[in-house]
Amino acid sequence: MAGQTLYDKLWQDHLVKSREDGTALIYIDRHLIHEVTSPQAFEGLRLAGRGLWRKDSLVATPDHNVPSHAGERAGGVAGIRDEVSRIQVQTLDENCNDFEVVQFGINEPGQGIVHVIGPETGATLPGMTVVCGDSHTSTHGALGALAHGIGTSEVEHVMATQCLIQKKMKNMLVRVDGELGPGVTAKDVVLAIIGKIGTAGGTGYAIEFGGSAIRGLSMEGRMTICNMAIEAGARAGMVAVDQVTLDYVKDKPYAPKGEQWDRAVENWSRLHSDDDAVFDAVVELAAEEIEPQVSWGTSPEMVASVNARVPDPAVEADQTRRAGIERALEYMGLSAGQAIGDIQLDRVFIGSCTNSRIEDLRAAAAVAKGRRKADSVKQVLIVPGSQAVKAQAEKEGLHEVFTAAGFEWREPSCSMCLAMNADKLGAGEHCASTSNRNFEGRQGYGGRTHLVSPAMAAAAAIAGHFVDVREFVAVGETA
Amino acid sequence: MKAFTQHQGLVAPMDRANVDTDLIIPKQFLKSIKRTGFGPNLFDELRYLDEGAPGQDCSKRPLNPEFPLNFERYQGASVLLARKNFGCGSSREHAPWALDDYGFRAVIAPSFADIFFNNCFKNGLLPIVLDEAVVEQLFEEMYAQEGYALTIDLEKQQVVKPDGSAIPFEVDEFRKHCLLNGLDDIGLTLEDADAIRAYEKKRREQAPWLFDAVK
């Protein structure tokens, strides 16, 4: 018998029951909730007279609607100016109170973007099944967990039964071997992967990211990669457990301790694909060939290297693809053949569940240190992913580097990634963004998003247009 | 959930690939705490010429005359014909809620994104996967013939064209069963409560740290 993949093992460990019709009941260990996709689920429970199956499996925090501006944020939930946003956050408060769910409230030390606080507190752990009514739940797969986004009906289903009805996905291995060049980050790797396989390339699969370049990444880098598995069409992305994982998880507030830790480590040591495991699909990339990436279109697969040019739809043979490129260029206000480096930026956003962790902020600060944003750039938002990230950054003095550069230091929230709070692009504005989606209108009505790494975003903020961060040496160094 | 057995309806086009859920229902409308009322904001940024806000009376907003759903011939459409990777992006169930609230009962496309596909079945909305060439043919016929309607028979798993010819489609047995009978799958899962408890007991012994509460 062939060996098992990491996904096969995680699936097997959580299988409650296989049904004759090919579906299975899969047990869920951790259920993260936020204010946007949970109210209708709680309402559904109330209407049916049902309760939570295991209330201690849930962890809640408000992130999508909360203001990033310190002044507005200081007023707590009651201070949220947008009435509909305020009602949604209040509703989460009420539901957590009524159903006795642990919540890291708006200005509490544990608050943050749900996919940042899970790993950083140990609320999400290796070997777990993790769900959330949010497609970027795949982030937690970096821990060697089976984690994916679900819709609100499934949120209600997990609340009431602790299970999901699922069909097993297929296995895909994305292997990135070699060594990444200086200035090339996890974000560039995942954008290059999506550029290669397309936004539907992973549909129906659970993706395991492997190879020496992935092994060489920090946990935060692996989270950035797994976060965007969904942008390649895969509900779940994951990385095998190794020493990097264990070093990261150890001593996290909700990680097992003492004898429990030893037992857990033993259990987690098998969370990797066997040598003879068979994957349904294998995709390979050479780390040395990956350059800093910039998205030019309205789908995450529309990416190019920073030194490349915007593609010409006329040379695209496939009619649907050609129409897609033409529409994207029109929306983005770009012309075929234009150099990526000629794209001028109006705003820059560094944040989101993809890139708002401490290493992301350090990378941005290293570029910004001793420099000023370009006058042509109206606003540079730095939005830490959690209260803990914010506190750590302030301890390191990163906030002072940012403010000295003319960047704005904000409060933890999803912010301009999807513009549900007050942070948004104006129509026609170009934004260098460390978030995950460049869809039409995503960051604001008519807004134009370019997905990049934190270092590339900071360099673009300084230059006013895209530049190759590898040629952007730190102040005081010589080229 | 409302049942889906057989449906005959006017077909309307969404003629572009990779339609994401942000496009289906933009983020400002996700602030609602209800499951209903999203229909007027379906495809909001394509459908209207201005920027929409929650709670607005959409009947007074300027319509985009170039967007097919605003064409006279597609008024009352209940079957959406789409291109590949329909529903990609965010997991928001507000996307199928908006399609349902508008009046769509089925979406036909060469492929769908996983989470959206799954969410449809929970809401009595039937996503149907057909070969790209077949979908292309349907687009051509729909454009050529005003009032083009299709009959969707879930029991027989076929799409019947106006000329009476039938195109078979695949659907998971469990999902078909739930849709045909309008079943609440939470109730079905709770019939297996003993199996869930037995699993928990075994798992708690193997990996007790998984059951530690976050405080």
Side-chain angles (χ1 to χ4, degrees), chain B residues 104-130:
Chain B
F104 285 113
R105 297 297 324 271
V107 184
I108 299 173
S111 61
F112 293 88
D114 285 341
I115 303 179
F116 174 82
F117 188 73
N118 199 40
N119 284 342
C120 286
F121 284 99
K122 311 284 182 188
N123 293 283
L125 181 69
L126 180 61
I128 299 172
V129 178
L130 295 178

Side-chain angles (χ1 to χ4, degrees), chain A residues 28 101 201 236 257 295 331 382 393 473:
Chain A
I28 302 303
V101 170
K257 305 283 184 323
S295 78
Y331 180 85
I382 313 287
V473 291

Side-chain angles (χ1 to χ4, degrees), chain A residues 56-73:
Chain A
D56 63 9
S57 68
L58 286 111
V59 174
T61 199
D63 53 8
H64 285 61
N65 279 276
V66 298
S68 76
H69 195 276
E72 186 178 354
R73 185 66 170 263

Side-chain angles (χ1 to χ4, degrees), chain A residues 147-184:
Chain A
H148 55 75
I150 54 179
T152 297
S153 293
E154 287 183 317
V155 169
E156 185 182 337
H157 191 277
V158 175
M159 284 174 168
T161 71
Q162 212 57 40
C163 291
L164 272 182
I165 301 167
Q166 288 214 302
K167 267 200 154 173
K168 193 157 179 246
M169 295 179 268
K170 290 180 286 182
N171 280 290
M172 178 185 285
L173 174 64
V174 174
R175 186 162 53 216
V176 188
D177 278 317
E179 206 162 317
L180 295 173
V184 180

Side-chain angles (χ1 to χ4, degrees), chain A residues 192-203:
Chain A
I193 291 168
I194 298 161
K196 184 178 172 97
I197 71 175
T199 52
T203 303

Side-chain angles (χ1 to χ4, degrees), chain A residues 273-306:
Chain A
S273 291
D274 296 332
D275 290 341
D276 57 344
V278 178
F279 288 86
D280 301 290
V282 178
V283 175
E284 294 179 314
L285 280 84
E288 289 79 6
E289 290 172 12
I290 301 173
E291 296 191 277
Q293 303 284 301
V294 178
S295 78
W296 50 265
T298 53
S299 160
E301 69 184 30
M302 294 173 165
V303 289
S305 296
V306 61

